[in-house]
Amino acid sequence: MASISLSAVPTTSLSSRPPLFSKTSSTYCFKVSCKSSMDDHSENNPKLILPMQNVDRRNMLLGLGSLYGAANLTNIGSALAYPITSPDNISNCVPAEDGFIPGDAVRGNACCPPTTQTTAVPYVLPKFTKLRVRPAADRLSEEYIAKYQLAIKRMKELPDEDPRSWKQQGKIHCAYCNGAYSQYMNGHPELKIQVHNNSLFFPFHRWYLYFYERILGSLIDDPTFGLPYWNWDNPKGMLLPDMFEAPYPNPDPTKPPNPKFNPLFDPYRNCAHLPPAIVDLDTSSAAGDKSCAHQQISENLSAMYTQMIGTTTALPDAFFGTNYDPDPSKILAGRIESGVHTAVHIWVGNPRMPNNEDLGNFYSAGYDPAFYVHHSNVDRMWQIWNELDFRNVNPCNDDWLNASFVFYDENQRLVRVYNKDCVDINKMGYTYEPSRLTWLQGRPIRRVKASNIAANSFGVVKKVEEIEFPVKLDQAVKVLVKRPATKRNEDDKMKTSEMLFLEGIKYNGEQFFKFDVLVNDVDDGIETTPVSSEFVGTFAQVPHSLGGNMVMTSGAAFGLTQLLEDLEAENDEYVLVTLVPRAGAEDATISKINIQLVPLAN
Ligand code: C2O
């Protein structure tokens, strides 16, 4: 092996590798450590303060006899023996290159961390006496805001080479996203590590924020400091928290306060989207704004409902995405990641910058303090999803559990952390201040009265088997997809879930890319928004770098069971699927569309 090889990657098992991604796998993970807590999702859980009657009762009742649920339904649960491992020696880090055009990067492509230490020591979660509570950003006291601003100010005052500095923290995101780290895997000696569009997304960002929060706490001598979360899933939090743009005392006391002295300020934000603009959680149009506020709020709540419940309940692969793989056509990106998460990035980034810096591009996102409160809420969604239904379990295949990253901690020690140590936030020493989950009431309603929509399109719309793949996504794609079974009863639905798979989606990863997925829709998405049951979801991608043409491949999966009930299409033999391109789809293609039954354990 070359010097970039990693000790944790035995080559012997590479050839006997089973497929990572098998929808008909009967291998489940029944590990106790992988179950979500039975008591946590109940009505008595103080963390969920809305009554649960708004959630489909079946979600609560299904599989009560199977304490450990159906972990990781479509990943094979066996060890593949080469978990994604960021380098043993960080001097193997190389300048981020993918797509970088010299001179076009406002933030630069030198994303590697300082090499004051090069070999990471295994991180042990420290003991603590009091949980850090992450508060909702829109409810902070003046005092808390001042404390947070002071912490960021001190971070910004650290010398650039200090691994705790604002600049180094910002670089971390670029390094893990723009090709700075590689590992040996499956005969690919330089597989670039990518923490987006796969199941590394949630754990990587959880650890990233964990150290960021501890660094901020140590800079103000407050080990209980909790990083605020931007509560964009709640109508009260659907605008950029005021503190990010608030005036701040001028260092020259004879001059008036000015936002640009505010440590939370970032010059690269979309000024059309500062408060009181309401965030668009569906990025209906990348540049423009939507009609009225109440309509935007309902669309946001429905997008949340669909991504947290409607298409992901009991389907870990739909929620988290699947394992990173050298063959990108096997990878699925998670629903929250390619949904509301992307939308907030795009909404905040400045369209006047060459690459939508800062939040609007992965390479630069970590330089805006708003990135961390955005991701604090993304991380909170993981926690809430686990609590919503006991079948909402985390991935538990060995590759996922043993995937690891390196970070500098608050004491400037280089440490290695594992996914398996980040599945319980209380063990990590933090929790979230509760906030109303208004979107539990956001279940979409069908637009059109059920009238055999699929059957009526026979002869007009082609069946999936009559289409030649890959299909171009430069215009709306309409296709009839056969269901594996019809008239499924409650018993069937307890055993399997019906899922729509879109595989091998190829697109230009250097621009904002989005298409919407509709089922049994009759107007090609012209009026269909997330408030309609016909709107299954979206596949939206934050650009990776800068303007060139970097082909990326990923996939998406959506649970259809609840949606087909809402559409009264359960007896239909076919489903009419429409893919509507919204942005950056000129060169995009898709190589496979189908519906399969995914077994649930019971
Ligand atoms: Cu690493 Cu929101 O992205």
Side-chain angles (χ1 to χ4, degrees), residues 70 190 358:
E190 287 193 52
D358 276 325

Side-chain angles (χ1 to χ4, degrees), residues 173 177 195-196 201 204-205 208 341 345 362 365 371 374-375 542:
H173 198 257
C177 166
V195 293
H196 298 97
F201 173 76
F204 166 79
H205 291 87
Y208 185 6
H341 157 258
H345 272 273
F362 277 144
F371 169 85
H374 167 38
H375 268 276
V542 178

Side-chain angles (χ1 to χ4, degrees), residues 316-375:
D317 285 356
F319 185 79
F320 294 101
T322 54
N323 282 357
Y324 190 40
D325 195 288
D327 176 356
S329 68
K330 291 180 179 154
I331 305 176
L332 297 177
R335 295 286 76 240
I336 287 285
E337 181 186 357
S338 42
V340 295
H341 157 258
T342 295
V344 174
H345 272 273
I346 299 300
W347 194 77
V348 181
N350 187 349
R352 296 184 183 192
M353 294 302 293
N355 312 291
N356 285 2
E357 285 92 349
D358 276 325
L359 267 172
N361 197 299
F362 277 144
Y363 100 95
S364 54
Y367 292 95
D368 185 342
F371 169 85
Y372 303 87
V373 293
H374 167 38
H375 268 276

Side-chain angles (χ1 to χ4, degrees), residues 230-242 244-245 266-293 296-297 299-300 337-353 355-362 365 368 370-371 373-375 512-514 540-543 583:
W230 177 1
N231 197 189
W232 36 247
D233 59 303
N234 180 304
K236 293 206 177 88
M238 286 180 188
L239 26 82
L240 183 74
D242 273 327
F244 284 97
E245 296 275 333
D266 183 88
Y268 306 136
R269 290 183 188 139
N270 187 342
C271 58
H273 289 170
L274 301 183
I278 301 212
V279 67
D280 178 356
L281 291 184
D282 183 53
T283 327
S284 327
S285 108
D289 286 303
K290 291 286 283 291
S291 42
C292 26
Q296 183 63 67
I297 291 171
E299 289 175 16
N300 289 347
E337 181 186 357
S338 42
V340 295
H341 157 258
T342 295
V344 174
H345 272 273
I346 299 300
W347 194 77
V348 181
N350 187 349
R352 296 184 183 192
M353 294 302 293
N355 312 291
N356 285 2
E357 285 92 349
D358 276 325
L359 267 172
N361 197 299
F362 277 144
D368 185 342
F371 169 85
V373 293
H374 167 38
H375 268 276
F512 171 52
F513 170 55
K514 181 181 197 281
Q541 297 295 319
V542 178

